[in-house]
Each structure stands twice: as C-alpha cells, then as structure tokens.
Amino acid sequence: MGYPSESQRGCLLAVWLAMRNVGPLITGIITLVLNTSGAETGKVAYKTYYALIVIQCLGVPASLLISKPDKVIRPDGTRIPYLKNDRTSVKKELRHIWDTLRTPHFSLLIPIFITGVWGQTYQSNFVTAVLSVRSRALMGLRASSVSILAAISFGGVADAMWLGGLARR
C-alpha cells in the first residue's frame, strides 16, 4: 500500500488481490490439464507436482525483479517515503504489534478471521472427501477466476469518485 499514490490505492489493491489469485488459477489449470486422462481416482499425477515445484522455484529469481522502494517514482512524480534511517528494533516492533492486538477494533476482527479460516478448511476437507481430482481442479479454477473478477470489481468501486474514493479514507 506504500507504492501507489492516493488516487490509485483501490485499483492497485485490486491488482494485488488479483495477483494473489493467479497462483491458484495457474495451479488449477495445470492440475486440470495434467489429470484429465488416465488419472487414478483421488490421486494427483506426479507430473503435476513436478510442474508446480518448478514454478515455485522460479519465484525466487522473479522476486529479485521487484524495484527497491527508493527507486520507485510515482506517476505524479513523487517518491515513496523510505524509512532507511528510521531504525526500529525487534522489541519496539513487538511492542507495536502487542498494542495493536489489544485495541477494541482489532478484537472485533477476530470472529471474521476465525470464520474465514474455518470456512476454507471446511471447504477443502469437503472437496477432498467428495470430489475427484479433476472436479477439485475445476473447482479451484472456478474459485480463482471468480476471486480475480471480484478483486478487480472491488478496486473499481474503491477508487470511484462518486463514492468519495473509499480507498482514500
């Protein structure tokens, strides 16, 4: 959230959320393609794991392509505030985290966190027990596609001027 300018936060938050779902989308495509014929019921083919491991190994070199914060210049010409000289100790950071965890606003989020994690676990267990490999891959593909579309829609709404720019609040 530090890289974009104020007017682009909603859009770039949506891009980030969509990019988070590209991994499961690609995984769903690979799993669906590599397990469409000849796969045993309930068993994922080894070539699926090999393909996914290769893609994960490519993540480390790809992460080196990310620009350093002091090199980024926004479209409006401003630079990102860079806190290189502001040294923070681990003790100080842990204290800030503890203070945040104790706020009433954070405690109101705990039921949402539990519900989200429980829902994903329940869905994964149900899908694994009931559906075949191809059906699980298709379901993952569909869920990722819908998540990407929802994230892009959210970004458009968050930056909408007629709503007062929700991302800037």
Side-chain angles (χ1 to χ4, degrees):
M1 291 302 296
Y3 278 32
S5 60
E6 287 272 331
S7 63
Q8 294 180 314
R9 283 201 178 145
C11 176
L12 293 181
L13 176 64
V15 168
W16 174 73
L17 287 170
M19 293 300 287
R20 275 186 49 198
N21 287 302
V22 169
L25 179 72
I26 292 171
T27 302
I29 292 169
I30 289 171
T31 306
L32 190 61
V33 168
L34 295 179
N35 294 289
T36 53
S37 62
E40 297 176 30
T41 305
K43 184 177 179 187
V44 178
Y46 288 116
K47 57 187 173 185
T48 305
Y49 291 115
Y50 297 145
L52 297 177
I53 289 170
V54 167
I55 290 173
Q56 287 180 347
C57 290
L58 294 174
V60 173
S63 69
L64 299 174
L65 300 174
I66 298 174
S67 298
K68 294 181 180 180
D70 57 343
K71 303 282 185 204
V72 175
I73 300 174
R74 296 178 178 148
D76 61 359
T78 60
R79 291 190 175 271
I80 295 169
Y82 189 55
L83 305 174
K84 188 174 186 175
N85 296 331
D86 186 20
R87 306 295 280 188
T88 304
S89 67
V90 173
K91 184 178 177 181
K92 195 175 188 181
E93 281 297 322
L94 289 174
R95 182 70 184 159
H96 286 307
I97 291 170
W98 178 248
D99 290 343
T100 302
L101 292 175
R102 290 184 19 213
T103 61
H105 293 97
F106 185 83
S107 62
L108 293 174
L109 293 173
I110 292 173
I112 296 171
F113 297 154
I114 292 171
T115 303
V117 172
W118 180 82
Q120 288 177 341
T121 305
Y122 177 78
Q123 179 183 358
S124 297
N125 290 338
F126 175 78
V127 167
T128 302
V130 175
L131 300 178
S132 69
V133 173
R134 292 178 288 277
S135 298
R136 291 192 306 256
L138 188 60
M139 185 173 171
L141 185 65
R142 178 206 47 88
S144 298
S145 301
V146 170
S147 295
I148 290 171
L149 291 174
I152 292 169
S153 301
F154 169 74
V157 170
D159 279 341
M161 293 308 291
W162 55 274
L163 286 174
L166 296 175
R168 288 182 286 285
R169 290 185 182 176

